[in-house]
Amino acid sequence: MFSKDEWTQIELYKNKKLLEKEGVKVVIVDTILKPLETIETITYNPYEMDLYEEGTVFVFYCDTGKSTKERLEYYKKKFPKYRCISLKGGRAYFRPNYQLLDEI
């Protein structure tokens, strides 16, 4: 799950579900002031983000995913107590109607 620095939307939903079962919070971080419609996001604010419990996973997104992928090393240095991931494709590839269905 943490072998990659970038998650697709499918990986985001699956990993979020698995991690939250283990008690690890996954927070989607808006770096462009355009919140995603169907998932809870926070606006990038280092002071407020530093108040989250150690071990929290921050998933950063921008319009295309390119900027957050390039800035990922900066985010990792800025938030050493947390895991930092980039959302692949950013807001442009986020499908608002996507749902993670449990296997029958």
Side-chain angles (χ1 to χ4, degrees):
M1 160 180 333
F2 293 110
S3 59
K4 300 188 300 184
D5 287 340
E6 194 173 42
W7 288 351
T8 63
Q9 182 178 3
I10 295 167
E11 290 171 324
L12 168 65
Y13 281 119
K14 285 181 179 178
N15 294 339
K16 185 176 188 315
K17 191 173 185 178
L18 291 171
L19 288 167
E20 289 182 348
K21 280 183 184 176
E22 296 174 10
V24 177
K25 187 158 181 69
V26 177
V27 179
I28 296 84
V29 182
D30 175 5
T31 63
I32 54 173
L33 300 176
K34 294 179 185 175
L36 298 172
E37 297 167 10
T38 57
I39 193 167
E40 184 180 343
T41 64
I42 64 165
T43 302
Y44 177 75
N45 181 334
Y47 173 75
E48 287 181 12
M49 292 168 66
D50 207 32
L51 299 176
Y52 280 90
E53 187 175 322
E54 187 172 335
T56 297
V57 178
F58 292 132
V59 181
F60 296 89
Y61 75 90
C62 59
D63 279 321
T64 63
K66 186 177 178 184
S67 296
T68 51
K69 177 71 172 156
E70 290 172 355
R71 288 190 217 129
L72 205 53
E73 289 307 313
Y74 167 78
Y75 294 139
K76 287 179 178 182
K77 288 179 185 172
K78 182 107 178 136
F79 304 106
K81 299 186 299 183
Y82 309 98
R83 295 227 182 220
C84 298
I85 304 287
S86 176
L87 182 62
K88 186 172 187 164
R91 192 172 197 277
Y93 288 100
F94 195 85
R95 298 175 291 175
N97 296 323
Y98 177 81
Q99 295 177 352
L100 184 64
L101 301 175
D102 292 326
E103 296 293 327
I104 298 177

